[in-house]
Each structure stands twice: as structure tokens, then as C-alpha cells.
Amino acid sequence: MEKGIKEDRTLTRLYDRNQFFEQAKNMINMHEPGFYVLSCINIDNFKVINAQHGTETGDGVIRHVATSINNCMYEIGGICAHIAGDEFAALYPMSYIKSNAIDDGHLKASAPDCIFQRIRLRVGRFVIDEPNLPVDSMYDSAKLAADNIRNNYERDIEYYKDCMRTNLVKRQQVIYEM
């Protein structure tokens, strides 16, 4: 059985959210700040895939992405999880950010064999410089970075910046005041 795969997951067999956060925290605590990056990986427009091809094919896409990410993480000493729906998380050494392994993993995950089109994966990255933060907060920051490029088709990867959270709070305040 491959690293990170659990028998109790019926769709992806990956760590679930809680298992991932627990394992990630253990791994982060074993290294110096900046050693790891946590990524949120989101299948863009997954609802359209389900609508066009059906949920069975959609599940096949989820399984394909899960397997591709897991194989990549296994190769570079990282872990991954199926967080929910079309969202995945990965924790891996920062030294692999610009590696062929990551590029190849992204390329393979983007080409499921159960449909005749490539899919877009939005990736938000959070560099773990403050290892004492809760892992769920780190993941939320990576997710915020991925959400930041939701309608930007020129980029698939975004790094978290503090200004993203500030801008989100400002937007929410404007909405609240309206």
C-alpha cells in the first residue's frame, strides 16, 4: 500500500482532513521553519464536469487527481489528503517547489483518462514559516490563495500573502455595510 493511503476512504483512500492535519503537524514539528509548504489543490469548475459527464465520471476524476497527487507526494516525501468535494491538500518539502516531480504531478493530475479534456487545478501555496500556527489555519491560507486565482486563467498557482486576508476582510466589511 502506498504512503498516505488509508483503507477506510471509499472514494480516494487518502487521509481525511483530520488525519492529514494531525500527520502534517507531526511532520512540521520535526523540521525548521520554511522547510515545508502546504498546498490547497482545487479542481476548477468541477460542478461542470459532473453536469456534463455525470457523477460517476466526476468520481473518476476525483480518484484520478487523488492518485496523481498521492504518487507525486510519495516520490518527494510529502503527504496528501482529500479534504472535501473537489479539494485536496498536500504538505511537502519546499525544496521541491520548482521541481520536475511537482510539475509532472500537476500535469498528470490535470489529464484524467476518464474524460477527453484536461482539467484545471488551482493551487494555493502557504510557506510554513511559523510552524506554531494551527495546521487548519495554514490550510485556510493556502485555500485563500487558490481562491484568489479563481477566475484568472493565466495562472494556476498562487502563494499566500497577508494582503489577501486583509482584502477579504475589507470586502466582507463592505458587503456587511451594504
Side-chain angles (χ1 to χ4, degrees):
M1 181 174 299
E2 297 172 72
K3 179 180 178 184
I5 292 185
K6 298 290 186 184
E7 286 296 332
D8 59 348
R9 299 289 296 172
T10 57
L11 183 59
T12 66
R13 300 185 323 150
L14 297 179
Y15 286 133
D16 66 22
R17 180 184 186 97
N18 293 333
Q19 292 168 329
F20 175 80
F21 288 167
E22 183 178 323
Q23 183 66 21
K25 186 65 178 167
N26 293 336
M27 291 172 67
I28 291 165
N29 286 337
M30 295 173 61
H31 293 279
E32 69 279 355
F35 184 84
Y36 282 114
V37 63
L38 194 149
S39 290
C40 169
I41 303 134
N42 186 275
I43 302 172
D44 207 32
N45 296 315
F46 183 70
K47 290 178 184 173
V48 174
I49 293 170
N50 271 340
Q52 287 180 336
H53 303 283
T55 56
E56 187 173 318
T57 298
D59 287 350
V61 169
I62 294 284
R63 280 190 295 276
H64 170 83
V65 171
T67 300
S68 299
I69 294 170
N70 190 62
N71 290 343
C72 179
M73 290 301 105
Y74 181 73
E75 181 180 332
I76 64 173
I79 60 170
C80 61
H82 182 210
I83 298 297
D86 61 348
E87 283 184 26
F88 298 86
L91 177 77
Y92 50 96
M94 180 74 173
S95 60
Y96 286 97
I97 281 289
K98 295 183 180 182
S99 70
N100 288 338
I102 291 289
D103 292 344
D104 291 347
H106 188 103
L107 192 61
K108 287 175 186 169
S110 299
D113 55 5
C114 56
I115 58 175
F116 300 108
Q117 64 196 52
R118 296 191 72 73
I119 59 173
R120 178 177 184 235
L121 300 174
R122 284 183 288 114
V123 179
R125 291 179 173 161
F126 179 80
V127 177
I128 303 173
D129 289 327
E130 298 178 43
N132 294 328
L133 289 174
V135 178
D136 60 335
S137 294
M138 295 176 193
Y139 176 77
D140 289 345
S141 295
K143 183 171 173 23
L144 183 58
D147 289 346
N148 197 54
I149 56 172
R150 182 176 298 276
N151 294 316
N152 181 347
Y153 292 96
E154 295 174 11
R155 296 185 9 213
D156 292 334
I157 299 170
E158 180 68 271
Y159 286 86
Y160 173 80
K161 299 171 204 72
D162 287 335
C163 65
M164 292 175 181
R165 190 164 311 281
T166 303
N167 290 340
L168 176 65
V169 169
K170 285 179 184 177
R171 277 194 307 267
Q172 294 297 335
Q173 186 63 33
V174 168
I175 291 169
Y176 176 75
E177 290 174 1
M178 290 172 66

